């Protein structure tokens, strides 16, 4: 038997399409004391580098489907992850 999900209509009329259920992600985290701030900051740097590489790959794969203007969102995210001021603040917080 199909599952019935009720919602609120955004406009009058009928729409036929796949339905997606949006679920709030679990953003909880555990606070802990860092014994080696240098190693922790290196871990953050690796995560940022991996994220930048992932975004570049996604952007490259999306080039055939998105306009240049739409692709700029990837550049904005990469710029945020590359921001030296933000990285400095993170480093200060870790230390």
């Amino acid at each position: 038997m199909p599952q019935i999900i009720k919602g609120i209509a955004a406009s009058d009329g009928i729409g036929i399409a796949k339905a997606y259920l949006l679920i709030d992600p679990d953003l909880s985290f555990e606070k802990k004391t860092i014994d080696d701030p240098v190693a922790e900051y290196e871990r953050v740097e690796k995560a940022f580098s991996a994220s930048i590489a992932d975004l570049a790959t996604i952007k490259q794969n999306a080039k055939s489907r998105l306009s240049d203007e739409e692709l700029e969102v990837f550049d904005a995210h990469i710029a945020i992850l590359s921001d030296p001021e933000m990285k400095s603040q993170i480093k200060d917080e870790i230390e």
Side-chain angles (χ1 to χ4, degrees), residues 37-38 41 44 86-95:
V38 173
Y41 185 70
V44 169
M86 180 182 70
K87 288 182 177 185
S88 174
Q89 290 177 7
I90 291 170
K91 188 174 184 179
D92 291 346
E93 194 65 33
I94 289 172
E95 290 171 350

Side-chain angles (χ1 to χ4, degrees), residues 30-50:
E30 177 184 332
K31 279 190 169 189
K32 56 183 174 178
T33 302
I34 303 302
D35 295 328
D36 186 355
V38 173
E40 188 66 17
Y41 185 70
E42 287 174 2
R43 195 170 76 90
V44 169
E45 279 287 335
K46 283 183 184 178
F48 278 26
S49 295

Side-chain angles (χ1 to χ4, degrees), residues 3-70:
Q3 180 181 7
I4 297 176
I5 300 172
K6 295 187 179 206
I8 299 170
S11 61
D12 293 333
I14 297 173
I16 300 173
K18 287 184 179 181
Y20 295 93
L21 181 61
L22 298 178
I23 300 171
D24 289 332
D26 178 11
L27 299 177
S28 62
F29 60 93
E30 177 184 332
K31 279 190 169 189
K32 56 183 174 178
T33 302
I34 303 302
D35 295 328
D36 186 355
V38 173
E40 188 66 17
Y41 185 70
E42 287 174 2
R43 195 170 76 90
V44 169
E45 279 287 335
K46 283 183 184 178
F48 278 26
S49 295
S51 295
I52 290 168
D54 288 347
L55 285 167
T57 300
I58 294 167
K59 178 184 175 183
Q60 185 63 37
N61 292 338
K63 278 188 175 182
S64 63
R65 297 184 311 276
L66 300 177
S67 69
D68 288 343
E69 186 175 286
E70 291 170 317

